[in-house]
Amino acid sequence: MAKSRLIGSYPVIGIRPTIDGRRGALDVRGSLEEQTMNMAKSVKELYEANLKYSNGEPVKVVIADSTIGRVGEAAACADKFRHEGVDITVTVTPCWCYGAETMDMDPQTIKAVWGFNATERPGAVYLASVLATHAQKGLPAFGIYGHEVLDADDTVMPEDVKEKMLRFGRAAVAVATMRNKSWLQIGSVTMGIGGSIIDPDFIESYLGMRVESVDEVEIIRRMTEGIYDHEEFDRAMKWAKENCTIGFDKNPPELQMTEEQKEEQFEFVVKMAVIIQELMNGCDKLDPKFSEEAIGHNALAAGFQGQRQWTDFYPNGDFAEAMLNTSFDWNGAREPYILATENDVLNGLGMLFMKLLTGRAQMFADVRTYWSANAVKRVTGYDLEGVAKENDGIIHLINSGACCLDASGVVKDENGNGVMKEWWNVTEEDQKAIMKATTWNAADNGYFRGGGFSSRFETRATMPATMIRLNLVKGLGPVLQIAEGWTVELPEDVSDTLWKRTDYTWPCTWFVPRCDGKDGAFKTAYDVMNNWGANHGAISYGHIGADLITMCSMLRIPVCMHNVPEADVFRPAAWNAFGMDKEGADFRACKNYGPLYK
């Protein structure tokens, strides 16, 4: 689909078909060869048809050259997988096998085991045995065991097995994609926000990434000395003038920029977007005398400080942040970048997690205000309806312009529902609709003395959404919060009345978390807001909380708050040994095993 912007190959999934090694007169092994290898092939086909890398290409899956009955064949498989770059393994079997001889012993691979549920051969017995061995050796593995007993000659993978297999695969590919990539911070701490106080040890130990840092003045140096792809900038500028609608200026007349100043600032912010791309991933079209700058920082994600040292003097970074986070730009549809406003690395990493899981652009927003049904009624006279009424309120998600433009919700699926598509499915018509729904308004000069532009749109669609927040807690480490819910559309006059109580030139989304009415963090929308761990949230299209829980268990990041149904929670089998309360067990297991790259 698209060339990777990054240095380093994508993770490969390796399938390990294990088998009962006994030969003898009845040739037990021989009788199982075809069935065992067919299981491996079925997993390969499932993954290749359903999983993609972030650049849109199908995942690469390899199978061991033979079934694995004894340790020599396990060693041969491990050797092949090393050469193939395998980071993720799925062991499959319909029968009993010699666990410690046939298991994956590589401490760096992410592991799952599927034991076929049938009575002819004890595949389930092997599954239980080998998972116990994994736990005993400190090598957590996910156990996949179908609910229904099958016949030995069944060749169709059960739906519950598919669901777990895909959940494991999506999460594992996301985790392994981060290895050996970079987070690039442009600037440093923004207005004392804790999320922008970067912790290199966390990023290195838990994610396997490195931290790169440049000062914001590097953008000015590159502008001043012409260190950027001039053809790329010309193309970006032409597209921006043709597709970006300039909105109203909210500033008092005496504080407004002149039209000439605004035109200069618009060119400035477009050039910022081009340069930040090149800072992240390099550019092979720079003048040869800038060969050092051409290398880039191999950044999978980045953050831009902006406020206040930059924005008190230069135009703000909203255009760069919004456009790079979006699923297209002046070159058409392309993999979204992750660029966190205010250098909130913790929110940016949340966005990264969800982009890698979904292939979709991500929203960055302040978790700004909770509006109860009573408060909405008092201020607007309107009675909340639907999920907003059922969950007693709405949460206003709004930020100065970093949110992806896909979040306008104007793109529709085949049934006419608002959707944020995987980037590789975004059409030219989708792009035009999104740009038509967005205006670029002169920045609030009270916030941004240097001027600039903020993207402005309202999410005019009801869409499933998942909001998360990654936090660092001293003495505990990283934790993740997850709130599944919906974006909701309010009547225009109601939305405007509430919206105008804050900044009316910023992207506006009304979010309703799914609540259960019981005591705790998900009693009502108010309780979600009251228990949220920071001022920002990362938001993705779809209900993907279960995938995030699986992913976090791989990273050893406990989930401290979520509203995912218990039946969908899928963690390594060893987590069951840490107690019967699933969330407490998660904390204890993550502490026991520690960071993945410690």
Side-chain angles (χ1 to χ4, degrees):
M1 296 284 287
K3 180 182 177 182
S4 172
R5 298 192 289 251
L6 298 160
I7 299 166
S9 57
Y10 285 102
V12 177
I13 301 176
I15 313 299
R16 307 177 69 258
T18 57
I19 199 167
D20 191 329
R22 288 174 284 203
R23 292 288 191 181
L26 296 179
D27 192 13
V28 173
R29 177 170 183 161
S31 69
L32 293 162
E33 286 282 358
E34 183 177 0
Q35 182 185 9
T36 304
M37 193 56 79
N38 283 340
M39 284 183 68
K41 292 176 181 177
S42 70
V43 177
K44 184 176 189 289
E45 291 168 1
L46 179 73
Y47 280 158
E48 290 176 338
N50 291 279
L51 298 187
K52 295 181 185 294
Y53 297 124
S54 61
N55 74 339
E57 293 179 355
V59 297
K60 180 180 178 181
V61 185
V62 298
I63 301 176
D65 290 335
S66 70
T67 55
I68 302 166
R70 301 304 298 260
V71 70
E73 290 153 334
C77 172
D79 186 60
K80 174 180 180 175
F81 284 4
R82 274 193 296 272
H83 286 90
E84 293 280 0
V86 169
D87 294 293
I88 303 152
T89 66
V90 179
T91 298
V92 303
T93 191
C95 60
W96 171 253
C97 315
Y98 302 155
E101 288 195 31
T102 60
M103 66 185 285
D104 173 13
M105 289 282 288
D106 186 340
Q108 289 297 310
T109 57
I110 304 168
K111 305 166 181 63
V113 184
W114 174 27
F116 193 69
N117 185 7
T119 56
E120 289 86 353
R121 298 284 183 178
V125 176
Y126 169 75
L127 176 63
S129 174
V130 80
L131 289 175
T133 308
H134 276 87
Q136 189 171 338
K137 294 179 179 295
L139 301 170
F142 289 78
I144 300 174
Y145 178 53
H147 187 272
E148 299 298 328
V149 174
L150 304 176
D151 297 325
D153 58 357
D154 283 335
T155 57
V156 178
M157 189 184 299
E159 289 302 315
D160 62 327
V161 171
K162 283 184 183 179
E163 183 179 359
K164 288 184 176 180
M165 198 72 74
L166 289 172
R167 180 153 292 140
F168 168 82
R170 283 190 295 266
V173 169
V175 167
T177 297
M178 292 188 286
R179 290 179 181 173
N180 299 317
K181 306 304 188 300
S182 303
W183 171 278
L184 174 64
Q185 66 166 353
I186 303 170
S188 184
V189 181
T190 301
M191 300 186 298
I193 294 173
S196 63
I197 303 172
I198 204 157
D199 183 344
D201 181 61
F202 161 64
I203 293 173
E204 293 162 8
S205 298
Y206 281 86
L207 310 181
M209 297 172 63
R210 69 171 71 207
V211 173
E212 291 282 287
S213 300
V214 297
D215 193 276
E216 293 168 304
V217 75
E218 176 64 8
I219 295 174
I220 298 300
R221 183 181 79 89
R222 293 192 179 209
M223 285 187 179
T224 303
E225 298 186 10
I227 309 173
Y228 56 89
D229 184 342
H230 291 257
E231 291 183 1
E232 181 80 357
F233 168 66
D234 290 342
R235 185 162 55 251
M237 198 66 228
K238 180 176 184 296
W239 176 89
K241 286 183 176 180
E242 292 173 353
N243 292 277
C244 293
T245 301
I246 302 302
F248 61 84
D249 189 337
K250 64 168 282 187
N251 294 292
E254 66 274 14
L255 294 181
Q256 292 181 9
M257 306 279 184
T258 65
E259 292 304 311
E260 292 77 13
Q261 288 173 318
K262 289 180 180 178
E263 187 171 342
E264 290 177 2
Q265 291 202 337
F266 194 63
E267 290 191 11
F268 185 98
V269 298
V270 173
K271 193 174 293 184
M272 277 181 68
V274 172
I275 289 174
I276 289 173
Q277 283 186 139
E278 295 173 0
L279 279 167
M280 290 178 70
N281 301 134
C283 178
D284 57 10
K285 295 182 180 179
L286 297 185
D287 188 302
K289 66 183 179 181
F290 301 124
S291 58
E292 181 180 0
E293 290 86 349
I295 297 172
H297 291 270
N298 201 35
L300 190 60
F304 178 70
Q305 177 190 338
Q307 299 186 69
R308 284 196 35 213
Q309 290 85 341
W310 177 276
T311 55
D312 278 2
F313 189 63
Y314 292 114
N316 65 16
D318 288 358
F319 179 88
E321 292 160 355
M323 284 310 312
L324 294 189
N325 284 329
T326 296
S327 60
F328 61 89
D329 60 16
W330 44 89
N331 292 315
R334 54 98 176 99
E335 179 182 349
Y337 290 80
I338 296 295
L339 181 60
T341 194
E342 297 169 348
N343 191 35
D344 187 341
V345 57
L346 296 178
N347 214 54
L349 289 172
M351 295 166 68
L352 176 61
F353 291 175
M354 295 193 290
K355 186 197 90 165
L356 294 177
L357 285 170
T358 67
R360 304 175 197 265
Q362 300 298 308
M363 301 171 64
F364 184 112
D366 282 359
V367 185
R368 180 66 65 107
T369 311
Y370 161 74
W371 282 91
S372 69
N374 288 336
V376 173
K377 176 74 171 178
R378 176 179 61 81
V379 172
T380 69
Y382 174 72
D383 290 309
L384 291 178
E385 301 175 352
V387 293
K389 179 180 180 180
E390 293 167 10
N391 296 280
D392 192 28
I394 52 180
I395 295 175
H396 199 183
L397 304 179
I398 186 168
N399 192 271
S400 65
C403 185
C404 66
L405 305 187
D406 304 66
S408 58
V410 295
V411 174
K412 306 301 179 183
D413 63 15
E414 62 276 8
N415 298 316
N417 299 313
V419 66
M420 293 169 63
K421 292 181 178 179
E422 298 94 342
W423 73 263
W424 51 81
N425 290 325
V426 173
T427 66
E428 289 186 16
E429 289 73 22
D430 296 335
Q431 296 167 40
K432 290 177 182 177
I434 290 170
M435 294 307 297
K436 186 177 180 181
T438 305
T439 60
W440 299 90
N441 293 56
D444 183 327
N445 288 335
Y447 281 94
F448 307 114
R449 299 177 190 173
F453 295 85
S454 293
S455 62
R456 182 186 187 275
F457 61 80
E458 182 180 359
T459 304
R460 303 293 295 176
T462 297
M463 300 185 290
T466 302
M467 181 170 74
I468 71 171
R469 176 65 193 189
L470 178 66
N471 289 301
L472 294 179
V473 180
K474 188 174 180 63
L476 175 61
V479 293
L480 192 82
Q481 297 173 295
I482 303 171
E484 292 185 340
W486 305 268
T487 67
V488 295
E489 185 176 2
L490 299 178
E492 186 173 354
D493 60 329
V494 175
S495 179
D496 280 358
T497 299
L498 303 181
W499 190 357
K500 286 176 179 176
R501 292 174 72 105
T502 179
D503 199 305
Y504 195 52
T505 65
W506 294 351
C508 169
T509 301
W510 303 105
F511 174 70
V512 178
R514 185 179 64 242
C515 300
D516 55 17
K518 301 176 183 178
D519 288 340
F522 288 95
K523 183 177 181 180
T524 67
Y526 166 80
D527 296 284
V528 173
M529 177 81 177
N530 196 38
N531 282 276
W532 206 245
N535 54 309
H536 291 152
I539 304 94
S540 180
Y541 176 88
H543 290 159
I544 62 169
D547 284 357
L548 285 159
I549 288 173
T550 296
M551 181 183 185
C552 284
S553 68
M554 295 173 180
L555 295 168
R556 316 293 187 249
I557 297 174
V559 176
C560 63
M561 170 180 158
H562 75 82
N563 60 349
V564 176
E566 185 171 323
D568 295 334
V569 173
F570 186 40
R571 294 183 173 113
W575 266 235
N576 296 328
F578 289 86
M580 291 179 64
D581 59 313
K582 286 185 178 292
E583 305 323 313
D586 184 34
F587 275 82
R588 291 184 286 272
C590 288
K591 181 179 180 180
N592 180 68
Y593 291 110
L596 198 55
Y597 306 99
K598 60 183 177 182

